[in-house]
Structures are given as C-alpha cells and as structure tokens.
Amino acid sequence: MEPRLITPGQEGDYFSGEQVTAWGIDQFWGLPAYPHTPYYRTFETSVDAGAHLYEFVVPMVPPNWNERQRVEEYIALMERGTVPTAVAVSTLDVCQSALGLGDDPCAHWGLTHFLLDGHHKLEAAATTGRPVRLLSLLTLGESLATADDRARLPALRAQPRSARATGT
C-alpha cells in the first residue's frame, strides 16, 4: 500500500469530506465527525453501484511522536528499494445512512487497520510516496460486516483504485 498522511479537517480528510457527503454534518455539534488523530488513507475502490470501499490505517500514537532518526533510516532503506512490513489488527464496517441526511446514499465499507507495529515505516512511506506492506489480522466477530462482505475483501482490494463519483 502507499499511505498518505491525513490531518483531520484538512484536504483529503474522509470525515470532513466523503462522510459529510454521505451522512451530513453532525446535527448536535454542527460539525463533521472528528477522528482526534492524524491517520493514513491508503486505498479506495467501488464495491458496486451502491457501495464504495475506503481503507485507513490508524496509528496507535500520533506520527509526531515518531523518532525522526528512525523515520529517516526507513526513508533511506526505501530509497534503496526496501519495502518494509507493518502489522495491524483490522475491522471492516459496512454502514449506510438510514435517515437520508446526506447527498450520497452510497454504503461505505470502511476497512480500518489499527497499526500495532510499523509507525516509523508508515510515516517514511507517506513521506517518500513509496509502498509498504501491511500484515493485516482482520477481526471476524468485531466488525460491522457479514461473512460474505469479509470474503469479498481480497477481490475488492485487488481492483484498481478509484475515487467515489458522487455527482455533487
């Protein structure tokens, strides 16, 4: 995967972009959902005409806590062709608005990887635009997805990357 570091509320933020288009602004706060941490966006593709897959990597510590020297070491390794591996526990959540508050009724498949090991590697990959491997341990009972949904992930993940066209 090729991660992009996203700062909440800034360009590329799913929570103030695609999620607002699908579900609207939070009616109580009058603001988009706030993830409280920078995160990585890695991939997205169409599931079908009514659903889209979004993939995220959530670090367990903020990237600004990473040791700069260690990140630079991984950058140097990547520039020599090394593709490091990170490890995560992952969930697949399939959600769709029941209230019709947003402008896009598409179901969102959120494949979220909670990074256990590889924080410096992900930051180095995002900095250089180089790939990193991710060993993902997908939860079977803790996701908001069916067994059939989870079984579709390998084929969906093998599809070409494509952004959701909302028509708005």
Side-chain angles (χ1 to χ4, degrees):
M1 64 175 49
E2 295 177 9
R4 290 181 298 130
L5 183 61
I6 303 296
T7 300
Q10 302 295 316
E11 182 179 342
D13 179 22
Y14 168 84
F15 299 95
S16 58
E18 293 94 330
Q19 189 178 59
V20 169
T21 302
W23 289 285
I25 297 289
D26 180 281
Q27 291 188 354
F28 179 80
W29 295 109
L31 298 167
Y34 187 71
H36 297 279
T37 186
Y39 61 95
Y40 298 94
R41 288 191 71 164
T42 58
F43 182 75
E44 64 178 279
T45 195
S46 176
V47 174
D48 56 37
H52 200 77
L53 171 70
Y54 299 92
E55 185 178 43
F56 312 98
V57 178
V58 180
M60 294 293 97
V61 296
N64 65 350
W65 288 14
N66 289 340
E67 296 175 23
R68 292 299 105 213
Q69 181 178 349
R70 192 73 178 131
V71 172
E72 293 299 325
E73 289 171 6
Y74 279 111
I75 288 173
L77 286 170
M78 290 174 165
E79 288 173 348
R80 293 194 301 267
T82 298
V83 180
T85 301
V87 179
V89 170
S90 308
T91 61
L92 174 64
D93 294 333
V94 178
C95 301
Q96 188 168 15
S97 175
L99 302 176
L101 299 175
D103 296 327
D104 181 15
C106 174
H108 287 212
W109 290 41
L111 179 57
T112 306
H113 307 286
F114 297 94
L115 194 59
L116 300 175
D117 180 62
H119 290 77
H120 298 92
K121 297 170 187 176
L122 262 287
E123 184 180 348
T127 299
T128 62
R130 296 193 180 261
V132 64
R133 287 184 191 92
L134 184 69
L135 173 59
S136 168
L137 308 169
L138 182 66
T139 62
L140 299 179
E142 302 303 320
S143 296
L144 298 175
T146 66
D148 289 341
D149 295 338
R150 291 188 305 268
R152 293 183 64 190
L153 274 179
L156 290 170
R157 198 55 187 77
Q159 288 182 181
R161 177 187 311 260
S162 65
R164 170 92 176 129
T166 61
T168 57

